Amino acid sequence: MPTLQLAEITHANRPAQLPLLSKLADILATSPAVTHLMVRGSLAHGTADRLSDVDFVVGVHDAQLPSFVEALDALMSIEAGALLPGWRDTIVADLGGLGMVFLVPDDGRLHQIDLYLAPASRIPRLRETVSTAVILDRTPTPAATPDIAVAESFAAAFIARPRTCTELLIEHLVLAVLLHKRIKRGQRFVAYSEWHRLHTATKDLIKTALAPASQFWGWYQLREEIAVTPIGRACLGDLDAAISGPAIPEGTDVNAAIERVLALVERACPQALDGLHDAITAYRTYQELV
Amino acid sequence: MDSTLTALAGQIAQLDAVDSAQLERMRHEALTTQAPWKAEYGAYQSGGWWTTSLMNASGDAADVTIGDCAARPTGLLGQMPATAAFLADLGLNFMWVRLARLEGNAFLWEHRDYDELDQVERHRLHIPLHTNSSAFLVTSGTKVHMAGGRIWRLTPTYAHGVCNLLGPARIHLIADVYADDAYRRLARRPALHPAVAEPLPAASQTVLAERLETARNMATLGYTEAAERMLLRLFYTYALPEGTAYDLIAELHTSLGNMEAATRWDTAKRRLLALTA
């Protein structure tokens, strides 16, 4: 049988995200606080398409988890060029750590970067339950009990902290990127789920801005609490418009939702846009909204 | 024009408008023509600064090290008819013409250009072809976004820096020209519209202390270069006294006990800001 020279074609068909994955891995691995780097999702399993996200599990020394999380937004902005502060991932399963999602421009378009930060002490159990490709393994000596407690209490407090208007705005922007991906792939059920999450984020944004001390759960008593001023009525009008759309959106519906939310933020909590104007302009450019 | 703006207009000024349809054609050419972009790396930049020549001494687009010459068109300009027509219409005495691409998340750090010793009067013109609001120049604590639609003149004798925070890539047509009657006609009414000059806020000692603490946390985690870059980027966020970003980096290293790095950054500050003392 002749020897086929497939290296060139293999290289040409490698996932488009591979250079970005490699760059991010280099950035993260620079710190000795990082004990493990694992790739999960489609890039780990060879099923990636050009829309696939880059999904890392990052093991961090238990005692250093708080300072690592504190530095992460600045690190991702400075070293990776992330457009916005990370979104605290509320979709990812609880594996003993915390998830952050960043939007990083690369090669002219936005990429979704998922980072799941796990205390090193949780990594062995995590590896038993989640399929990953390990690209860095600096297994440390077992963490001391107080260090484990530091990481656990930090992660629990981080997840439990109420979201600010800025964080909820960023949640909309990230979910819109996810939704465009689902629509292009024809993933109708996931699109339905994320579309509902986006509307829920709009509701949460309105409540955070206009009824921060609300005693009511979820979607209850919105009219009684919020539709008592012109701003409140206008915001609930926006929410009504959002939920009156199709159950599964088209791309134009997602874009309209983002523009509606940006107008809502300007009206109800303009301080949430502080420092984000250029990022939102860039977001619109990368998403071809302008 | 107030005195601050007048002083700033000596550094950066708007000259004539560029026809919008012609600008669109030039932008299309700049974004689509295959060009031999050459990376330039230096102590004063983060990476992400690329140039390619349209007019130079050799006619080779890959020759990007500028110097005095009677410029002739490169092969690249031959593939860009709208740009060639624009340059011809200006009727200037070109020394060198380049396309310059500054990628997203790229910075030319705070620096002062050395004044060349020769007596030849030349000027640098920028024609923004593809830009975004996060791409701007900072000088004297003021942020200037060079918007498209104008020819801009840069005469940066003050300490200054340029950035493209978020992208997409910024592409400028940069023409170095010798002063002659055509140039003087073009530059007859330099202006700087107040709306394009945005004063940056001052940074309180508390803010600087917080940023230094964040940098120290990053460096302690092992992200020392990121910590340095975070401090360098303060120049684009706050109106700082000259060299403050470099001083903060030296202070960071001093606090971490790395006196060699502190000295290195002090030396870099003197070199980049052309300080003699």
Side-chain angles (χ1 to χ4, degrees), chain B residues 15-69:
Chain B
L15 306 181
D16 284 358
V18 180
D19 174 72
S20 61
Q22 186 163 27
L23 187 64
E24 279 305 312
R25 287 192 292 275
M26 291 197 291
R27 180 156 90 129
H28 180 82
E29 288 179 347
L31 290 171
T32 58
T33 307
Q34 290 293 314
W37 293 100
K38 294 291 176 185
E40 287 189 16
Y41 296 101
Y44 63 90
Q45 64 134 328
S46 65
W49 170 251
W50 302 76
T51 58
T52 189
S53 292
L54 301 181
M55 295 182 72
N56 62 10
S58 65
D60 176 5
D63 174 9
V64 295
T65 307
I66 68 169
D68 277 309
C69 69

Short mmCIF file of all heavy atoms in Angstrom, two decimals, chain B residues 15-69:
data_model
loop_
_atom_site.label_atom_id
_atom_site.label_comp_id
_atom_site.label_asym_id
_atom_site.label_seq_id
_atom_site.Cartn_x
_atom_site.Cartn_y
_atom_site.Cartn_z
N LEU B 15 -7.52 68.08 9.03
CA LEU B 15 -7.35 68.90 7.83
C LEU B 15 -8.59 68.71 6.95
O LEU B 15 -9.70 68.70 7.45
CB LEU B 15 -6.05 68.53 7.12
CG LEU B 15 -4.78 68.58 8.00
CD1 LEU B 15 -3.53 68.21 7.20
CD2 LEU B 15 -4.60 69.94 8.67
N ASP B 16 -8.39 68.52 5.66
CA ASP B 16 -9.54 68.46 4.75
C ASP B 16 -10.37 67.19 4.95
O ASP B 16 -9.89 66.17 5.44
CB ASP B 16 -9.05 68.48 3.30
CG ASP B 16 -8.61 69.87 2.89
OD1 ASP B 16 -8.73 70.80 3.72
OD2 ASP B 16 -8.15 70.03 1.74
N ALA B 17 -11.63 67.27 4.52
CA ALA B 17 -12.50 66.10 4.50
C ALA B 17 -12.14 65.21 3.32
O ALA B 17 -11.55 65.66 2.33
CB ALA B 17 -13.96 66.54 4.40
N VAL B 18 -12.49 63.94 3.44
CA VAL B 18 -12.29 62.99 2.35
C VAL B 18 -13.67 62.61 1.82
O VAL B 18 -14.57 62.32 2.62
CB VAL B 18 -11.55 61.72 2.84
CG1 VAL B 18 -11.33 60.74 1.70
CG2 VAL B 18 -10.23 62.10 3.49
N ASP B 19 -13.83 62.60 0.53
CA ASP B 19 -15.10 62.23 -0.06
C ASP B 19 -15.52 60.83 0.42
O ASP B 19 -14.73 59.89 0.37
CB ASP B 19 -14.96 62.25 -1.59
CG ASP B 19 -16.22 61.74 -2.27
OD1 ASP B 19 -17.22 62.47 -2.25
OD2 ASP B 19 -16.20 60.59 -2.77
N SER B 20 -16.76 60.73 0.90
CA SER B 20 -17.18 59.47 1.54
C SER B 20 -17.20 58.29 0.58
O SER B 20 -16.85 57.17 0.96
CB SER B 20 -18.54 59.65 2.21
OG SER B 20 -19.50 59.99 1.25
N ALA B 21 -17.60 58.52 -0.65
CA ALA B 21 -17.64 57.41 -1.61
C ALA B 21 -16.22 56.93 -1.93
O ALA B 21 -15.95 55.72 -2.03
CB ALA B 21 -18.36 57.84 -2.89
N GLN B 22 -15.30 57.88 -2.08
CA GLN B 22 -13.91 57.51 -2.34
C GLN B 22 -13.31 56.77 -1.13
O GLN B 22 -12.58 55.80 -1.28
CB GLN B 22 -13.08 58.74 -2.66
CG GLN B 22 -11.66 58.41 -3.08
CD GLN B 22 -10.95 59.55 -3.78
OE1 GLN B 22 -11.28 60.71 -3.55
NE2 GLN B 22 -10.00 59.23 -4.63
N LEU B 23 -13.68 57.25 0.05
CA LEU B 23 -13.20 56.61 1.27
C LEU B 23 -13.67 55.16 1.33
O LEU B 23 -12.90 54.25 1.69
CB LEU B 23 -13.70 57.38 2.50
CG LEU B 23 -13.15 56.95 3.85
CD1 LEU B 23 -11.65 57.19 3.93
CD2 LEU B 23 -13.86 57.69 4.98
N GLU B 24 -14.91 54.91 0.96
CA GLU B 24 -15.44 53.54 0.97
C GLU B 24 -14.67 52.65 -0.01
O GLU B 24 -14.40 51.49 0.27
CB GLU B 24 -16.93 53.53 0.65
CG GLU B 24 -17.81 53.86 1.84
CD GLU B 24 -17.56 52.95 3.04
OE1 GLU B 24 -17.51 51.73 2.87
OE2 GLU B 24 -17.37 53.48 4.15
N ARG B 25 -14.35 53.21 -1.17
CA ARG B 25 -13.59 52.41 -2.16
C ARG B 25 -12.19 52.11 -1.63
O ARG B 25 -11.68 50.99 -1.78
CB ARG B 25 -13.51 53.16 -3.50
CG ARG B 25 -14.83 53.18 -4.27
CD ARG B 25 -14.64 53.66 -5.71
NE ARG B 25 -14.27 55.07 -5.80
CZ ARG B 25 -15.15 56.08 -5.79
NH1 ARG B 25 -16.45 55.83 -5.70
NH2 ARG B 25 -14.75 57.32 -5.90
N MET B 26 -11.57 53.08 -0.98
CA MET B 26 -10.23 52.84 -0.43
C MET B 26 -10.30 51.82 0.71
O MET B 26 -9.42 50.98 0.85
CB MET B 26 -9.62 54.16 0.08
CG MET B 26 -9.28 55.13 -1.04
SD MET B 26 -8.15 56.42 -0.49
CE MET B 26 -9.16 57.37 0.61
N ARG B 27 -11.36 51.92 1.49
CA ARG B 27 -11.51 50.97 2.59
C ARG B 27 -11.66 49.55 2.04
O ARG B 27 -11.06 48.61 2.56
CB ARG B 27 -12.75 51.36 3.41
CG ARG B 27 -12.99 50.43 4.58
CD ARG B 27 -13.80 51.12 5.65
NE ARG B 27 -15.23 50.94 5.45
CZ ARG B 27 -16.05 50.50 6.40
NH1 ARG B 27 -15.58 50.20 7.59
NH2 ARG B 27 -17.33 50.39 6.19
N HIS B 28 -12.46 49.44 0.99
CA HIS B 28 -12.65 48.11 0.38
C HIS B 28 -11.31 47.57 -0.10
O HIS B 28 -10.99 46.39 0.12
CB HIS B 28 -13.64 48.22 -0.79
CG HIS B 28 -13.89 46.92 -1.46
ND1 HIS B 28 -14.79 45.98 -0.98
CD2 HIS B 28 -13.34 46.36 -2.56
CE1 HIS B 28 -14.78 44.92 -1.76
NE2 HIS B 28 -13.91 45.12 -2.73
N GLU B 29 -10.52 48.42 -0.74
CA GLU B 29 -9.21 47.98 -1.22
C GLU B 29 -8.31 47.55 -0.06
O GLU B 29 -7.65 46.51 -0.11
CB GLU B 29 -8.53 49.11 -2.01
CG GLU B 29 -9.16 49.36 -3.36
CD GLU B 29 -8.50 50.49 -4.14
OE1 GLU B 29 -7.69 51.26 -3.54
OE2 GLU B 29 -8.79 50.63 -5.34
N ALA B 30 -8.31 48.35 1.00
CA ALA B 30 -7.42 48.04 2.14
C ALA B 30 -7.81 46.73 2.81
O ALA B 30 -6.96 46.00 3.33
CB ALA B 30 -7.45 49.18 3.15
N LEU B 31 -9.11 46.43 2.81
CA LEU B 31 -9.59 45.22 3.50
C LEU B 31 -9.50 43.97 2.63
O LEU B 31 -9.58 42.86 3.15
CB LEU B 31 -11.03 45.42 3.97
CG LEU B 31 -11.22 46.41 5.12
CD1 LEU B 31 -12.70 46.71 5.35
CD2 LEU B 31 -10.59 45.88 6.40
N THR B 32 -9.38 44.15 1.32
CA THR B 32 -9.47 42.97 0.45
C THR B 32 -8.20 42.68 -0.33
O THR B 32 -8.01 41.55 -0.77
CB THR B 32 -10.64 43.13 -0.56
OG1 THR B 32 -10.42 44.32 -1.33
CG2 THR B 32 -11.98 43.21 0.16
N THR B 33 -7.34 43.65 -0.53
CA THR B 33 -6.13 43.41 -1.33
C THR B 33 -5.11 42.60 -0.52
O THR B 33 -4.88 42.88 0.66
CB THR B 33 -5.49 44.75 -1.76
OG1 THR B 33 -6.50 45.54 -2.39
CG2 THR B 33 -4.35 44.52 -2.74
N GLN B 34 -4.55 41.58 -1.16
CA GLN B 34 -3.52 40.78 -0.48
C GLN B 34 -2.25 41.61 -0.37
O GLN B 34 -1.66 41.98 -1.38
CB GLN B 34 -3.23 39.51 -1.30
CG GLN B 34 -4.36 38.49 -1.30
CD GLN B 34 -4.59 37.88 0.07
OE1 GLN B 34 -3.64 37.49 0.74
NE2 GLN B 34 -5.83 37.83 0.51
N ALA B 35 -1.86 41.91 0.86
CA ALA B 35 -0.70 42.78 1.07
C ALA B 35 0.34 42.05 1.92
O ALA B 35 -0.01 41.26 2.78
CB ALA B 35 -1.13 44.07 1.78
N PRO B 36 1.62 42.34 1.69
CA PRO B 36 2.66 41.74 2.54
C PRO B 36 2.82 42.52 3.84
O PRO B 36 3.71 43.35 3.97
CB PRO B 36 3.91 41.85 1.66
CG PRO B 36 3.68 43.07 0.82
CD PRO B 36 2.20 43.19 0.62
N TRP B 37 1.93 42.26 4.78
CA TRP B 37 1.98 42.98 6.07
C TRP B 37 3.23 42.56 6.83
O TRP B 37 3.53 41.39 6.95
CB TRP B 37 0.75 42.67 6.91
CG TRP B 37 -0.53 43.21 6.35
CD1 TRP B 37 -1.47 42.51 5.63
CD2 TRP B 37 -1.02 44.54 6.45
NE1 TRP B 37 -2.52 43.33 5.28
CE2 TRP B 37 -2.27 44.59 5.77
CE3 TRP B 37 -0.55 45.71 7.04
CZ2 TRP B 37 -3.04 45.74 5.68
CZ3 TRP B 37 -1.31 46.86 6.94
CH2 TRP B 37 -2.54 46.88 6.27
N LYS B 38 3.94 43.54 7.34
CA LYS B 38 5.16 43.28 8.11
C LYS B 38 4.94 43.67 9.56
O LYS B 38 4.50 44.79 9.83
CB LYS B 38 6.34 44.09 7.53
CG LYS B 38 6.74 43.66 6.14
CD LYS B 38 7.35 42.29 6.19
CE LYS B 38 7.69 41.75 4.83
NZ LYS B 38 8.18 40.36 4.89
N ALA B 39 5.25 42.75 10.46
CA ALA B 39 5.10 43.05 11.88
C ALA B 39 6.26 43.92 12.33
O ALA B 39 7.38 43.73 11.89
CB ALA B 39 5.09 41.76 12.69
N GLU B 40 5.94 44.86 13.16
CA GLU B 40 7.00 45.65 13.77
C GLU B 40 6.91 45.43 15.28
O GLU B 40 5.86 45.58 15.87
CB GLU B 40 6.83 47.14 13.45
CG GLU B 40 7.19 47.48 12.02
CD GLU B 40 7.22 48.98 11.81
OE1 GLU B 40 7.26 49.72 12.80
OE2 GLU B 40 7.18 49.38 10.64
N TYR B 41 8.01 45.02 15.84
CA TYR B 41 8.04 44.81 17.27
C TYR B 41 9.04 45.78 17.89
O TYR B 41 10.10 46.02 17.34
CB TYR B 41 8.46 43.38 17.60
CG TYR B 41 7.48 42.37 17.09
CD1 TYR B 41 7.73 41.66 15.92
CD2 TYR B 41 6.29 42.15 17.77
CE1 TYR B 41 6.80 40.74 15.44
CE2 TYR B 41 5.37 41.24 17.30
CZ TYR B 41 5.63 40.54 16.14
OH TYR B 41 4.71 39.63 15.67
N GLY B 42 8.69 46.31 19.00
CA GLY B 42 9.61 47.23 19.65
C GLY B 42 9.28 47.31 21.12
O GLY B 42 8.24 46.81 21.56
N ALA B 43 10.14 47.95 21.83
CA ALA B 43 9.95 48.06 23.28
C ALA B 43 8.70 48.85 23.60
O ALA B 43 8.14 48.72 24.68
CB ALA B 43 11.17 48.74 23.89
N TYR B 44 8.27 49.68 22.66
CA TYR B 44 7.16 50.57 22.99
C TYR B 44 5.82 50.07 22.49
O TYR B 44 4.86 50.80 22.44
CB TYR B 44 7.44 51.98 22.46
CG TYR B 44 7.57 52.11 20.97
CD1 TYR B 44 6.45 52.37 20.21
CD2 TYR B 44 8.80 52.00 20.34
CE1 TYR B 44 6.55 52.49 18.83
CE2 TYR B 44 8.91 52.11 18.98
CZ TYR B 44 7.79 52.37 18.22
OH TYR B 44 7.89 52.48 16.86
N GLN B 45 5.73 48.81 22.12
CA GLN B 45 4.42 48.32 21.70
C GLN B 45 4.17 46.89 22.15
O GLN B 45 5.09 46.14 22.48
CB GLN B 45 4.28 48.46 20.19
CG GLN B 45 5.24 47.60 19.41
CD GLN B 45 4.55 46.87 18.28
OE1 GLN B 45 3.39 46.52 18.40
NE2 GLN B 45 5.25 46.64 17.19
N SER B 46 2.88 46.54 22.15
CA SER B 46 2.46 45.24 22.68
C SER B 46 2.51 44.14 21.63
O SER B 46 2.28 42.99 21.94
CB SER B 46 1.02 45.36 23.18
OG SER B 46 0.15 45.64 22.09
N GLY B 47 2.78 44.50 20.38
CA GLY B 47 2.56 43.57 19.28
C GLY B 47 1.23 43.92 18.65
O GLY B 47 0.39 44.61 19.24
N GLY B 48 1.01 43.46 17.41
CA GLY B 48 -0.27 43.76 16.76
C GLY B 48 -0.22 45.00 15.89
O GLY B 48 -1.25 45.51 15.47
N TRP B 49 1.00 45.49 15.61
CA TRP B 49 1.18 46.67 14.73
C TRP B 49 1.84 46.19 13.46
O TRP B 49 2.96 45.66 13.50
CB TRP B 49 2.03 47.72 15.46
CG TRP B 49 2.52 48.89 14.68
CD1 TRP B 49 3.81 49.13 14.30
CD2 TRP B 49 1.76 50.02 14.22
NE1 TRP B 49 3.90 50.32 13.64
CE2 TRP B 49 2.66 50.88 13.57
CE3 TRP B 49 0.42 50.37 14.27
CZ2 TRP B 49 2.24 52.08 12.99
CZ3 TRP B 49 0.01 51.57 13.70
CH2 TRP B 49 0.91 52.41 13.08
N TRP B 50 1.14 46.31 12.33
CA TRP B 50 1.61 45.79 11.05
C TRP B 50 1.58 46.91 10.01
O TRP B 50 0.66 47.71 10.02
CB TRP B 50 0.69 44.68 10.55
CG TRP B 50 0.52 43.52 11.47
CD1 TRP B 50 -0.25 43.47 12.60
CD2 TRP B 50 1.10 42.22 11.33
NE1 TRP B 50 -0.17 42.22 13.17
CE2 TRP B 50 0.65 41.43 12.42
CE3 TRP B 50 1.96 41.63 10.40
CZ2 TRP B 50 1.02 40.11 12.60
CZ3 TRP B 50 2.32 40.31 10.57
CH2 TRP B 50 1.86 39.56 11.67
N THR B 51 2.57 46.91 9.14
CA THR B 51 2.55 47.92 8.07
C THR B 51 2.90 47.27 6.74
O THR B 51 3.51 46.19 6.69
CB THR B 51 3.56 49.06 8.34
OG1 THR B 51 4.87 48.51 8.48
CG2 THR B 51 3.20 49.85 9.58
N THR B 52 2.52 47.95 5.68
CA THR B 52 2.88 47.55 4.33
C THR B 52 2.97 48.84 3.50
O THR B 52 2.21 49.79 3.76
CB THR B 52 1.86 46.55 3.75
OG1 THR B 52 2.33 46.01 2.54
CG2 THR B 52 0.50 47.17 3.52
N SER B 53 3.91 48.89 2.56
CA SER B 53 4.18 50.17 1.89
C SER B 53 3.43 50.31 0.57
O SER B 53 3.36 49.36 -0.22
CB SER B 53 5.69 50.32 1.65
OG SER B 53 6.36 50.47 2.88
N LEU B 54 2.94 51.52 0.34
CA LEU B 54 2.29 51.84 -0.93
C LEU B 54 3.19 52.73 -1.79
O LEU B 54 3.11 52.69 -3.02
CB LEU B 54 0.96 52.56 -0.68
CG LEU B 54 -0.08 51.79 0.13
CD1 LEU B 54 -1.36 52.61 0.28
CD2 LEU B 54 -0.39 50.45 -0.52
N MET B 55 4.00 53.54 -1.15
CA MET B 55 5.00 54.34 -1.87
C MET B 55 6.26 54.37 -1.00
O MET B 55 6.19 54.66 0.20
CB MET B 55 4.51 55.78 -2.11
CG MET B 55 3.32 55.87 -3.05
SD MET B 55 2.80 57.58 -3.36
CE MET B 55 4.13 58.16 -4.41
N ASN B 56 7.38 54.05 -1.62
CA ASN B 56 8.63 54.06 -0.85
C ASN B 56 9.83 54.15 -1.81
O ASN B 56 9.65 54.35 -3.02
CB ASN B 56 8.73 52.83 0.06
CG ASN B 56 8.75 51.52 -0.70
OD1 ASN B 56 8.87 51.51 -1.93
ND2 ASN B 56 8.62 50.42 0.01
N ALA B 57 11.01 53.98 -1.27
CA ALA B 57 12.22 54.16 -2.08
C ALA B 57 12.41 53.04 -3.08
O ALA B 57 12.82 53.28 -4.23
CB ALA B 57 13.44 54.24 -1.15
N SER B 58 12.08 51.82 -2.67
CA SER B 58 12.41 50.66 -3.50
C SER B 58 11.30 50.22 -4.42
O SER B 58 11.53 49.49 -5.38
CB SER B 58 12.77 49.49 -2.57
OG SER B 58 11.61 49.10 -1.83
N GLY B 59 10.06 50.60 -4.13
CA GLY B 59 8.92 50.08 -4.89
C GLY B 59 8.47 48.72 -4.40
O GLY B 59 7.56 48.13 -4.98
N ASP B 60 9.11 48.22 -3.33
CA ASP B 60 8.75 46.92 -2.76
C ASP B 60 7.86 47.15 -1.54
O ASP B 60 8.28 47.76 -0.56
CB ASP B 60 10.03 46.17 -2.37
CG ASP B 60 9.74 44.85 -1.68
OD1 ASP B 60 8.56 44.46 -1.59
OD2 ASP B 60 10.72 44.20 -1.24
N ALA B 61 6.64 46.62 -1.59
CA ALA B 61 5.68 46.87 -0.51
C ALA B 61 6.16 46.32 0.83
O ALA B 61 5.76 46.80 1.88
CB ALA B 61 4.32 46.26 -0.86
N ALA B 62 7.01 45.30 0.77
CA ALA B 62 7.49 44.67 2.02
C ALA B 62 8.59 45.49 2.68
O ALA B 62 8.99 45.20 3.81
CB ALA B 62 7.99 43.26 1.74
N ASP B 63 9.07 46.52 2.01
CA ASP B 63 10.11 47.39 2.57
C ASP B 63 9.40 48.48 3.38
O ASP B 63 8.81 49.40 2.81
CB ASP B 63 10.93 47.98 1.41
CG ASP B 63 11.94 49.00 1.89
OD1 ASP B 63 12.13 49.12 3.12
OD2 ASP B 63 12.54 49.67 1.03
N VAL B 64 9.43 48.36 4.70
CA VAL B 64 8.63 49.24 5.55
C VAL B 64 9.45 50.10 6.50
O VAL B 64 8.89 50.79 7.35
CB VAL B 64 7.58 48.42 6.35
CG1 VAL B 64 6.57 47.78 5.43
CG2 VAL B 64 8.26 47.39 7.25
N THR B 65 10.77 50.03 6.38
CA THR B 65 11.60 50.86 7.27
C THR B 65 11.77 52.23 6.64
O THR B 65 12.54 52.40 5.68
CB THR B 65 12.97 50.21 7.50
OG1 THR B 65 12.75 48.87 7.95
CG2 THR B 65 13.77 50.97 8.54
N ILE B 66 11.04 53.20 7.15
CA ILE B 66 10.94 54.47 6.44
C ILE B 66 12.21 55.31 6.59
O ILE B 66 12.95 55.19 7.57
CB ILE B 66 9.70 55.28 6.87
CG1 ILE B 66 9.82 55.78 8.30
CG2 ILE B 66 8.43 54.48 6.71
CD1 ILE B 66 8.74 56.79 8.64
N GLY B 67 12.44 56.13 5.58
CA GLY B 67 13.57 57.04 5.58
C GLY B 67 13.38 58.05 4.46
O GLY B 67 12.46 57.91 3.63
N ASP B 68 14.21 59.06 4.45
CA ASP B 68 14.09 60.08 3.41
C ASP B 68 14.32 59.48 2.04
O ASP B 68 15.26 58.69 1.83
CB ASP B 68 15.12 61.19 3.65
CG ASP B 68 14.61 62.20 4.66
OD1 ASP B 68 13.48 62.69 4.48
OD2 ASP B 68 15.32 62.47 5.65
N CYS B 69 13.48 59.83 1.09
CA CYS B 69 13.64 59.34 -0.28
C CYS B 69 12.63 60.06 -1.18
O CYS B 69 11.74 60.75 -0.68
CB CYS B 69 13.40 57.83 -0.36
SG CYS B 69 11.68 57.36 -0.07
#
